[in-house]
Amino acid sequence: MTRIGLISDTHDFLDDTVFRHFENCDEIWHAGDFGTAKIADALKAFKPLRGVYGNIDGYDIRSEYPETLVWNCEEIKVAMIHIGGYPPKYNARSKLFIRENHPQLFISGHSHILKVMYDDKLNCLHMNPGAAGKHGWHKVRTLIRFVIEGKDIKNCEVIELNS
């Protein structure tokens, strides 16, 4: 069993409560737009961190984190990209990325809109944790916590951060 804390679009702001919400997680996954390396450094000092860079990230993030990431967590193939769209409205880059990699879990950020939805055509769960930072048009800052156990993705929790 692997407990995951999923975050995105921190835009150089990391709410202290993130550490409390992710204290029982085994890993943290960041779907891009860290803002600066200090955000990534704080997260990876706390828990193992996987992430991709976002469109606002500079060289400090881009030199350490890739644009796309594909890996296996237990028996689930995961694919992550910052700007991805959502079922069925993926952008052209994401459509190709998904078709090439056939993930069971596709993660993106960028939109600042929290979404957890299953794509029946691709047999793939899509997650976007919304935005955890203060920059952007969103009114509620959000995170996702979930568990991967073998071939199962379960216990998905949406966490709203205080304003």
Side-chain angles (χ1 to χ4, degrees):
M1 179 174 70
T2 307
R3 295 168 301 224
I4 308 301
L6 181 59
I7 188 170
S8 187
D9 294 276
T10 45
H11 290 266
D12 204 29
F13 173 79
L14 188 58
D15 192 308
D16 288 339
T17 63
V18 168
F19 299 104
R20 180 173 45 84
H21 291 301
F22 287 171
E23 68 187 346
N24 293 322
C25 293
D26 300 304
E27 299 179 7
I28 297 172
W29 299 351
H30 196 297
D33 278 359
F34 288 88
T36 62
K38 76 175 185 175
I39 301 299
D41 292 345
L43 291 171
K44 73 181 175 185
F46 180 61
K47 299 282 181 173
L49 175 66
R50 294 181 191 267
V52 293
Y53 70 76
N55 56 296
I56 66 119
D57 290 320
Y59 180 77
D60 59 342
I61 295 296
R62 290 172 188 243
S63 64
E64 188 169 348
Y65 298 93
E67 179 184 16
T68 62
L69 194 58
V70 178
W71 74 99
N72 288 317
C73 180
E74 304 222 3
E75 298 175 53
I76 298 291
K77 189 173 195 179
V78 182
M80 184 188 297
I81 190 170
H82 180 60
I83 302 175
Y86 56 89
K89 298 179 181 183
Y90 302 106
N91 63 39
R93 172 82 171 99
S94 293
K95 280 182 190 176
L96 180 61
F97 180 55
I98 293 167
R99 284 197 178 112
E100 287 175 346
N101 292 288
H102 307 285
Q104 286 87 44
L105 175 58
F106 174 66
I107 296 171
S108 64
H110 184 65
S111 69
H112 294 214
I113 300 170
L114 182 132
K115 287 187 187 276
V116 177
M117 55 194 303
Y118 194 75
D119 187 329
D120 290 322
K121 289 185 179 180
L122 299 176
N123 295 318
C124 180
L125 180 64
H126 167 71
M127 287 187 179
N128 182 326
K134 290 186 173 181
H135 178 79
W137 59 269
H138 58 282
K139 295 188 185 323
V140 179
R141 295 179 297 118
T142 54
L143 312 167
I144 297 175
R145 250 186 338 223
F146 63 100
V147 171
I148 294 178
E149 187 168 12
K151 295 180 180 181
D152 296 324
I153 302 168
K154 59 187 187 178
N155 300 338
C156 185
E157 301 172 88
V158 171
I159 299 162
E160 292 183 2
L161 301 171
N162 294 332
S163 299

